[in-house]
Amino acid sequence: LAASLLAGDKRALARAISMVEDRLSGAEQVIAEIFPATGRAAVTGITGPPGVGKSTLIHALIRAYREQGRSVATLCVDPSSSVNHGALLGDRVRMSGFHNDADVYIRSMATRGTLGGLAAAARSALLLMDGAGFDELLVETVGVGQSELTVKGAVDTVVLVLMPGAGDAIQFLKAGVMEIPDVIVVNKRDRGGAESFAAELRRATSVASRGSAPLPAILLTDGIAEEGIAELIDAIADHRTYLRDGALRDARRADALSEAVLDLALEEVRERLLRAIAAGGAEELLETVHARRTHPARAARLLLDHALTPNLVQAGRVP
Amino acid sequence: LAASLLAGDKRALARAISMVEDRLSGAEQVIAEIFPATGRAAVTGITGPPGVGKSTLIHALIRAYREQGRSVATLCVDPSSSVNHGALLGDRVRMSGFHNDADVYIRSMATRGTLGGLAAAARSALLLMDGAGFDELLVETVGVGQSELTVKGAVDTVVLVLMPGAGDAIQFLKAGVMEIPDVIVVNKRDRGGAESFAAELRRATSVASRGSAPLPAILLTDGIAEEGIAELIDAIADHRTYLRDGALRDARRADALSEAVLDLALEEVRERLLRAIAAGGAEELLETVHARRTHPARAARLLLDHALTPNLVQAGRVP
C-alpha cells in the first residue's frame, strides 16, 4: 500500500486515509514507510464561518493551480457533529469535473471522538497526501474562534475567508480571541459593503497585530465568478516567500512536528487511560471522587499510575 | 487558608484563586481540604460573542439573585490573549456598588498557556467559590464555536447570549458547530429585528435539536434597562428542575468530575513531557523527526517512555 501511495496512486491514498480515520493499526505502518518522502508539499489552510463560500473559493483555487500545472489535494475537516454532510465540498467538487483529473484529489473527514483526535487524523491525512506527491495541499476547516486552530500547526499559510457584514469576526480579531491569519479574503464582493468591510478588517488587524509579522493581505474575491483568484494565489505565494526568506518555514514546520509528537503522545496516554477506565479498574476511584472523598488532582495521579505503570514497566519493547 | 475560605472569607478565596492561576504548589492542598465541602452551588455558564452585552446582563442577574437573598460569585474566563482587559466585567461591576456586598464576589481569569490549562484553572476556581459557600456561581466565557465549551462540563446550565443580527450564530447552530445551549437570550431587544431573530433561532434550534433534551428557552432581554431578567432567572430555574427531576444533575456532575480527572491526568503528563523536552532529553529524538527519519507516532511512544518511566518506577510514593 505504501509503495502504491508513494507512486501517486489515488486509490492507495484513499485507502490509507480511511485506515487513519478508522484508527486501524496498519495506518501507522503506512505513515512510517512514507514519512521520509514527506515535507515537499506546500500546505494552505482555508478557514472561516459556514456560508461564506469557502468551498466555491477552493474550487476556483484548484482550477487556478491546475492551470499552473500543479497537482492539488484538498482535505475538508468538518468539526461539526456529522450533520451537514450534503454540503461538503467533496460532493460539490466531484460534480464539477475534477474527478477525471488524476492530479486532483479531494477528501472529507468528520469528527470522531475528540477534536484532538480529529487534528491528529487530519495531520496524518496531510502526510499521506504529501507522500503521494501532491504539490499543493488545501485544508478546509470551519470555524471562528479557536477550534479551527487544531490543524494550524500543519499549515504553512492560513487564509481566513469572510463575507461583507460578518461583524463577529472583526470583534473576534479585535478581542484577540481569533489569531490573525496570514491572508484574509472578503468573498462575495458583489454584495454591498465589501470595500468598507475590508477597511474595517484592515483597522482591526493593525490594532491587534502581532510583533514583527507582516499585516495580513486583505483581498476581495467572488468565488462563483472566479474573480480575485489570481490575486489570492499571489498573496499565498508572497506569504511563502516571506516564510522562506526568513527561514521561517522550516522552523515552523519543525515546531509543528514537535507539537504533533506531543499531541500523539497525549492521545496515546488518553487512550490508555480510557482503556483502563473501560476495563473497570478506575470505577471505585472515580466513585470516591464523586462522593467528594478523593480530590481530582490526587485521583488524576492515582489514575496515571494505575493505567501507565504496567504498560511502561514492560516497555523495553517499544515497537 | 482553607479554613478561612470555608468560613466564607473573600480575601482567602481571592488568594486561593491566585494560587491556582499562578500554579503554585499550595493550591492543590487548599483544594484537597475544601473539596469535601463542594457540590452545593448552582453553576450557570453565560457565553456568547463579544459585544452582545454579557457583562451588563450578568450585572442584572447578580442584582436579581441578591434580591432573592442568594449569594453570587462570578468568574469571567477570558480566552483572548491578555488584550481587552479594560472591558472585563470585574472593573465594570466593581464600579457599580457590589464591592460593599459581602455576598458578591467577582473574579476574572485570563489564558495562561493552553486552553486546557485555563479550563482546569477555571474548574478549580469554581470549586473554591463553591467551597466558600456561594449559592450561585456564574461563569462568563467569550466565544461562538467550540472554544467556550472548555468549561462546559463544570456548568449545570448553559445560557447563550446573542443580539439581533448575529447571523453567524444561527449558521453555527444549524451546522452543529455549536452545541445547543439550555437557554438562549436575545439581548439588546430594543434594537430592530429582535422578534424575528428569536423566531429564526427557534427554527434553527428545532432543526438541530438533540435527542430527548427539551428545546432551549428563547428569551428577549434588555440588560441595561434590566428587562426580561426575572424571566431569565425563571428559565434557568426551570432547567434546574428539569435536571433534578430526571436525576440528570448528579449524573452530569459525576461525568464532569470524571472528565476533570482525565484532563488533569493529561495536563500532568503534558507537563512531565514538556519538562523532559526542556531538560534536553528529547532534542535528538525530535531532530530525527524533523529530518524525517523517525515517524511521529514512534517518536511519541519513545518520548512517553523517556519522560514517564523514571517517574513512575519510583511512584510507590504518590502523594
Side-chain angles (χ1 to χ4, degrees):
Chain A
L1 183 60
S4 310
L5 191 153
L6 287 170
D9 178 349
K10 286 205 282 185
R11 281 186 311 175
L13 176 58
R15 265 220 312 285
I17 296 179
S18 295
M19 287 168 74
V20 162
E21 239 183 348
D22 299 339
R23 294 159 173 260
L24 298 183
S25 50
E28 185 179 321
Q29 188 52 38
V30 176
I31 290 176
E33 287 178 42
I34 63 101
F35 187 63
T38 61
R40 292 181 195 146
V43 192
T44 304
I46 312 284
T47 191
V52 295
K54 288 186 297 299
S55 304
T56 316
L57 202 65
I58 288 178
H59 186 183
L61 274 176
I62 296 174
R63 193 194 305 274
Y65 278 126
R66 292 299 300 125
E67 278 167 14
Q68 296 184 358
R70 294 179 67 74
S71 59
V72 188
T74 298
L75 181 69
C76 313
V77 181
D78 184 2
S80 72
S81 36
S82 81
V83 282
N84 208 22
H85 275 310
L88 277 181
L89 172 69
D91 304 322
R92 215 178 301 171
V93 177
R94 211 169 294 124
M95 290 185 294
S96 51
F98 289 125
H99 65 289
N100 285 326
D101 185 340
D103 289 324
V104 174
Y105 179 77
I106 291 155
R107 175 74 180 226
S108 298
M109 191 172 252
T111 308
R112 312 229 170 156
T114 64
L115 268 183
L118 178 64
R123 275 194 299 249
S124 296
L126 290 173
L127 280 179
L128 293 167
M129 290 170 162
D130 190 346
F134 285 93
D135 300 317
E136 296 285 343
L137 307 188
L138 305 177
V139 195
E140 178 187 3
T141 51
V142 180
V144 163
Q146 281 155 333
S147 49
E148 75 280 15
L149 300 181
T150 44
V151 287
K152 196 194 160 209
V155 163
D156 299 321
T157 303
V158 177
V159 179
L160 172 67
V161 186
L162 298 171
M163 55 187 264
D168 277 7
I170 290 180
Q171 297 280 5
F172 276 106
L173 284 167
K174 274 193 195 158
V177 174
M178 181 158 63
E179 274 194 51
I180 297 179
D182 303 307
V183 178
I184 302 181
V185 168
V186 179
N187 195 34
K188 307 193 179 177
R189 72 174 184 195
D190 52 316
R191 300 212 177 175
E195 292 287 355
S196 65
F197 184 69
E200 264 187 279
L201 282 169
R202 218 159 270 130
R203 274 193 297 277
T205 50
S206 61
V207 166
S209 82
R210 42 176 184 182
S212 65
L215 291 177
I218 297 177
L219 308 169
L220 305 182
T221 59
D222 181 335
I224 294 172
E226 304 203 359
E227 290 170 9
I229 306 303
E231 291 78 2
L232 174 55
I233 289 204
D234 286 348
I236 294 169
D238 286 348
H239 183 255
R240 283 178 195 169
T241 306
Y242 159 76
L243 287 182
R244 198 174 42 232
D245 288 355
L248 294 169
R249 201 196 72 165
D250 290 348
R252 265 199 192 193
R253 286 186 172 189
D255 285 350
L257 276 174
S258 298
E259 193 61 39
V261 169
L262 197 63
D263 286 356
L264 282 168
L266 290 175
E267 195 65 22
E268 166 81 21
V269 171
R270 189 182 168 84
E271 273 170 27
R272 286 189 204 171
L273 294 180
L274 288 175
R275 272 201 301 273
I277 292 172
E283 256 167 49
E284 265 179 67
L285 174 63
L286 291 175
E287 268 164 34
T288 65
V289 178
H290 305 163
R292 314 253 163 189
R293 286 199 308 273
T294 308
H295 67 89
R298 178 171 157 78
R301 279 195 305 277
L302 290 169
L303 179 65
L304 276 180
D305 263 40
H306 168 73
L308 298 186
T309 314
N311 295 300
L312 287 166
V313 165
Q314 313 156 6
R317 44 131 199 95
V318 174
Chain B
L1 184 59
S4 310
L5 192 152
L6 287 171
D9 178 350
K10 286 205 281 185
R11 281 186 312 174
L13 175 59
R15 268 221 310 287
I17 295 179
S18 296
M19 288 169 74
V20 161
E21 241 183 346
D22 298 338
R23 294 161 173 260
L24 298 183
S25 51
E28 185 178 321
Q29 187 53 39
V30 176
I31 291 176
E33 287 178 41
I34 62 100
F35 188 63
T38 61
R40 293 182 195 145
V43 192
T44 304
I46 312 285
T47 190
V52 296
K54 290 186 293 303
S55 305
T56 316
L57 202 64
I58 287 177
H59 185 180
L61 275 176
I62 296 174
R63 194 194 305 274
Y65 278 126
R66 293 297 300 126
E67 280 169 14
Q68 296 185 357
R70 293 179 68 74
S71 60
V72 188
T74 299
L75 181 69
C76 313
V77 181
D78 184 0
S80 73
S81 36
S82 80
V83 283
N84 207 26
H85 275 311
L88 277 181
L89 171 68
D91 304 320
R92 214 177 302 171
V93 177
R94 213 169 292 124
M95 289 184 295
S96 51
F98 290 126
H99 65 288
N100 285 325
D101 185 340
D103 289 325
V104 174
Y105 179 77
I106 292 155
R107 175 73 182 227
S108 298
M109 190 172 253
T111 308
R112 312 231 169 153
T114 64
L115 268 184
L118 178 63
R123 275 194 300 247
S124 296
L126 290 173
L127 280 179
L128 293 167
M129 290 169 162
D130 190 345
F134 286 94
D135 300 318
E136 297 285 341
L137 307 188
L138 305 178
V139 195
E140 178 185 3
T141 52
V142 180
V144 165
Q146 280 155 332
S147 49
E148 77 279 15
L149 300 182
T150 43
V151 286
K152 197 194 159 211
V155 163
D156 299 321
T157 302
V158 177
V159 177
L160 172 66
V161 185
L162 299 171
M163 55 187 261
D168 279 6
I170 289 180
Q171 297 281 5
F172 275 106
L173 283 168
K174 274 193 192 155
V177 172
M178 181 160 62
E179 275 193 51
I180 298 181
D182 302 309
V183 176
I184 302 181
V185 167
V186 179
N187 195 32
K188 305 193 182 181
R189 73 174 184 194
D190 51 317
R191 298 211 178 176
E195 291 286 357
S196 65
F197 185 68
E200 264 188 279
L201 282 169
R202 221 159 266 132
R203 276 192 298 276
T205 50
S206 60
V207 166
S209 83
R210 45 179 181 177
S212 63
L215 291 176
I218 298 178
L219 307 170
L220 304 182
T221 59
D222 181 334
I224 295 172
E226 305 205 357
E227 290 170 8
I229 306 304
E231 291 78 2
L232 173 54
I233 289 204
D234 285 348
I236 294 170
D238 286 349
H239 182 255
R240 282 178 196 169
T241 306
Y242 158 76
L243 288 181
R244 198 175 42 232
D245 288 355
L248 294 170
R249 201 197 72 165
D250 289 347
R252 268 199 191 192
R253 288 187 169 187
D255 285 351
L257 276 174
S258 298
E259 194 60 41
V261 169
L262 196 62
D263 286 355
L264 283 168
L266 290 174
E267 195 64 21
E268 166 82 21
V269 171
R270 187 182 171 86
E271 273 170 27
R272 286 189 203 171
L273 294 180
L274 289 175
R275 271 201 302 273
I277 292 172
E283 257 168 48
E284 267 181 66
L285 174 64
L286 291 175
E287 268 165 32
T288 65
V289 177
H290 306 161
R292 312 250 165 194
R293 288 200 309 274
T294 307
H295 67 88
R298 178 171 156 75
R301 278 195 304 276
L302 291 168
L303 179 65
L304 275 181
D305 263 39
H306 168 72
L308 297 187
T309 314
N311 295 300
L312 287 166
V313 165
Q314 312 157 5
R317 44 131 202 94
V318 174

